[in-house]
Amino acid sequence: MQDAAATEELALRAASGDPAALDLLLQGIRPEVVRRCGRFLPCREDAEEAAQDVLLQVARKITSFEGRSRFSTWLYTVVANCARQKYRELKRRAAEQPDVIDASQHVDPRTTSVIAGSRIDLLEALERLEREHPHLVAPLVYRDICQLEYAEVAERVGIPLGTLKSRLHEARRQVRPWLVDAS
């Protein structure tokens, strides 16, 4: 990603309606967006598709960025939401496909890549956490996957720092056995 100060300035200019700034912003953040989507999605093509969704959302919703928090914080929210949505879409599509796939052509990422398998397991765990304890998902995603600072996460989620740490501890406690069982 380009210089953080330059990115912030471009984001503010784009939010105020400057189309040239938006173009430069989208070009500058694309590599970082693809990399961040890759933290969620094991397949590069899927990460790139999610990244395209992120860039489209940024272009559509940049006017909602008010500059109260850093642009990177706002962007990570969009990344997390788009990557998780892409995973749900892929999972739904896979469930709808008939079982006539030739086994020699089908590659299960769980058996071909430990990293890919762990990402799939994490996405499954996040879905389960969302069903059972939805208020714990955002702290876990922002801190452990997007790697935002605690203060940024607390600001983004809109809770005090102590509450954030408590929720993060509980989220990790909930998810840990699901990830151990999956391996």
Side-chain angles (χ1 to χ4, degrees), residues 93 96 139:
R93 216 182 303 154
E96 292 169 357

Side-chain angles (χ1 to χ4, degrees), residues 8 11 20 36 40 44 57 62 70 72 77 90 94 99-100 103-104 123 142 164 166 170 177:
E8 293 295 324
R36 295 248 175 217
F40 287 91
R44 174 121 181 121
Q57 287 297 318
I62 190 67
R70 293 187 338 202
S72 60
T77 302
L90 292 167
D99 287 331
V100 292
S104 66
L123 288 165
Y142 292 145
L164 167 77
S166 173
E170 180 61 18

Side-chain angles (χ1 to χ4, degrees), residues 87-157:
Y87 173 72
R88 287 186 197 108
E89 176 187 315
L90 292 167
K91 187 175 170 184
R92 187 175 50 251
R93 216 182 303 154
E96 292 169 357
Q97 290 178 346
D99 287 331
V100 292
I101 298 172
D102 178 8
S104 66
Q105 298 289 324
H106 181 63
V107 177
D108 182 355
R110 292 176 190 255
T111 60
T112 58
S113 168
V114 172
I115 293 171
S118 65
R119 288 182 194 165
I120 289 170
D121 295 334
L122 177 60
L123 288 165
E124 290 289 336
L126 286 172
E127 277 198 357
R128 184 172 173 185
L129 186 64
E130 192 161 35
R131 283 191 306 272
E132 297 178 15
H133 307 283
H135 66 287
L136 300 178
V137 174
L140 187 67
V141 168
Y142 292 145
R143 178 66 190 135
D144 289 358
I145 298 173
C146 295
Q147 297 180 333
L148 297 179
E149 297 296 324
Y150 285 100
E152 271 187 278
V153 176
E155 176 186 330
R156 192 74 192 142
V157 177

Side-chain angles (χ1 to χ4, degrees), residues 5 10 16 22 41 43 45 50-51 59 63 76 79 81 103 107 111 115-116 141 145 153 155 158 173:
L10 281 174
S16 68
L22 178 60
L41 300 162
C43 176
E45 292 81 13
T63 56
Y76 295 154
V79 167
N81 290 338
V107 177
T111 60
I115 293 171
V141 168
I145 298 173
V153 176
E155 176 186 330
R173 191 182 71 72

